[in-house]
Amino acid sequence: MVDSRGRGTSIRIRECAKTFPDGTRALEPMSLEIHGGETVVFLGPSGCGKTTTLRIIAGLESPDSGGQVWFDDEDVTALPIEHRNVGMVFQSYALFPNMNVEENIAYGLKIRKFSRGEVSSRVEEMLDMMQIHELRHRTINQLSGGQRQRVALARAIAVQPKVLLLDEPLTALDALLRERLRVDIDRLLRDLGITAVYVTHDQAEAMSLGDRIVVMSHGRVAQVGTPRQIYFEPRDPFVADFIGTMNRLSGVVENGVLTARGGSVELDEHPDGPIEILFRPESATIGNTGNSMLQGRVSGVFFLGDRTRLIIEEAGEEPVIVETAGSREFETGQRVGVDIDRDAILVL
Ligand SMILES: Nc1ncnc2c1ncn2[C@@H]1O[C@H](COP(=O)(O)OP(=O)(O)O)[C@@H](O)[C@H]1O
Ligand SMILES: [Mg+2]
């Protein structure tokens, strides 16, 4: 087993901004500390600067002057990628098509002048770890997308990099495969104890893989936190909307009571005046018409098996989405009451 335990290198990004030669400002000055052995996920919409940040960590891109990248106690800002000992996995596998699986995995080891014996034992370990033994003699174009990505991971890990950088490695795969490989990557990162930076625009991927998530927007860090913090305590409306589904209910507060289109909600200690509250679909329940906080009309019913997702109009200005037990049946047009768990209400 390739053991990277105790090899968890910390990464410090200090005031790294990036302006491309054409003037594009891809990254505002960013500072971030990634602990040794930690998996940090950069999450955000396309174009927000995730790849640029990853490439700065890798040494494929240099930050604007003043920016620094540190690996443990070493300032690596001026070090090119080949001297940073990072492993990289991309969305497009970037494997050598003219080499077979074994040769692809062995490539980095040979470059680094490992002995023949060592190369072959490492390759064996990698084939084991990624469960691709039977593919060892195939060429890359004889592999499926999922298999290619396993080979790419094996090749990146074989050299025992200090840091593993992954840029949307699952994006090109179909949903089922994506889920399966995500589980494997999760296990792999935990077993190796390697420091990993994982870029994705997929929030489910970010939530399941990240020890911490860095939510990015327009070249800026919107929030850094554990998946639970990001989900339950979003710092601003962008983060709240980007992660999961968030309901918005607007109205006017008077004497601690919010009056909205479909009813009223008691709030603690909110000044009088207009307000918008936010809550998750699972923080609301369907109650009786008449004595619930809000009254509305079901306009959409999505049976998901274990739960049913209801779209409810007229409760607020915007439709409200509520999730309820799958066993209960609803029809469109039906009038329902909606109650909100008051402890789960967010005001940003
Ligand atoms: N080489 C480049 N030259 C000019 N602009 C670039 C270059 N690379 C990326 N960009 C721009 O920088 C911004 C951030 O890009 P990127 O980091 O690739 O975003 P993401 O990975 O989050 O989708 C985008 O507006 C993109 O068009
Ligand atoms: Mg990208």
Side-chain angles (χ1 to χ4, degrees), residues 7-9 71 74 84-87 160-164 194-195:
R7 290 163 38 88
T9 301
F71 285 3
E74 190 187 3
R84 290 198 190 184
N85 195 11
V86 294
Q160 298 186 332
K162 285 184 172 175
V163 168
L164 186 61
I194 195 171
T195 309

Side-chain angles (χ1 to χ4, degrees), residues 105-169:
I105 298 172
Y107 180 80
L109 297 165
K110 288 183 178 159
I111 294 274
R112 285 171 173 75
K113 308 252 186 294
F114 279 74
S115 72
R116 272 186 96 141
E118 225 167 345
V119 171
S120 80
S121 74
R122 285 269 183 99
V123 168
E124 287 305 317
E125 286 172 28
M126 288 300 120
L127 292 169
D128 260 354
M129 191 184 286
M130 299 314 299
Q131 296 162 10
I132 47 176
H133 256 293
E134 69 286 5
L135 306 175
R136 63 192 305 161
H137 299 302
R138 294 222 199 144
T139 60
I140 299 308
N141 54 23
Q142 292 172 318
L143 303 177
S144 70
Q147 292 168 335
R148 286 178 203 201
Q149 210 50 295
R150 280 175 196 278
V151 177
L153 272 163
R155 189 182 59 174
I157 296 165
V159 298
Q160 298 186 332
K162 285 184 172 175
V163 168
L164 186 61
L165 305 173
L166 307 105
D167 194 350
E168 312 235 13

Side-chain angles (χ1 to χ4, degrees), residues 20-27 44-53 55 61 167-168 199 216 219:
F20 284 105
D22 68 354
T24 304
R25 180 79 158 172
L27 199 61
S46 176
C48 71
K50 306 182 295 294
T51 294
T52 301
T53 311
R55 289 171 59 85
E61 211 74 76
D167 194 350
E168 312 235 13
V199 161
M216 295 184 65

